[in-house]
Amino acid sequence: QVQLVESGGGLVQAGGSLRLSCAASRSIFSIYTMAWHRQAPGEQRELVAGLTSRGMPNYADSVKGRFSISRDSAKNTVYLQMNSLKPEDTAVYYCAAGVTTAWGTTRYNYWGQGTQVTVSS
């Protein structure tokens, strides 16, 4: 079992920045793809950014150039640096861990409880 605990959400004005953190209960980065998803009210959950076990990042088109995913293996923590925030970035952000297959698909087995990000205009 893996526990994921997010932190760092909050209220920020448009154009501002936030950094989200996700602490894993044990060392998993060498095995799992780590990712941040978000879910806005009335919307489906969507992938925002992912980081494979080999350290390859990928981003949703809507956040490319603004968000950056990284990890600190010594701290078992993955981060999401969010810059130039927009009101449409408002959502609950979830950290997830999963295994990526050889075909490139990822099944996320573990999820955090989520952290609210609110961007005011």
Side-chain angles (χ1 to χ4, degrees):
Q1 277 289 346
V2 177
Q3 283 75 48
L4 303 173
V5 179
E6 302 102 331
S7 61
L11 174 64
V12 64
Q13 288 190 332
S17 298
L18 281 175
R19 189 177 78 157
L20 305 182
S21 299
C22 171
S25 57
R26 58 183 177 88
S27 176
I28 59 173
F29 297 161
S30 63
I31 300 172
Y32 287 98
T33 288
M34 302 299 298
W36 288 95
H37 295 71
R38 68 185 180 188
Q39 187 167 20
E43 302 288 335
Q44 290 193 342
R45 191 173 297 188
E46 63 172 350
L47 176 67
V48 174
L51 189 63
T52 69
S53 59
R54 295 187 176 185
M56 295 295 292
N58 65 279
Y59 300 95
D61 288 343
S62 59
V63 307
K64 281 181 181 176
R66 300 188 298 121
F67 290 12
S68 178
I69 187 170
S70 62
R71 67 190 184 194
D72 184 334
S73 297
K75 297 182 178 179
N76 294 332
T77 300
V78 64
Y79 303 98
L80 184 68
Q81 178 66 44
M82 305 186 294
N83 299 326
S84 302
L85 282 161
K86 304 175 182 180
E88 51 263 44
D89 294 319
T90 295
V92 177
Y93 284 70
Y94 298 91
C95 178
V99 176
T100 299
T101 69
W103 294 271
T105 59
T106 303
R107 179 184 177 90
Y108 292 99
N109 304 98
Y110 303 105
W111 293 85
Q113 80 288 351
T115 185
Q116 177 70 46
V117 171
T118 302
V119 184
S120 63
S121 56

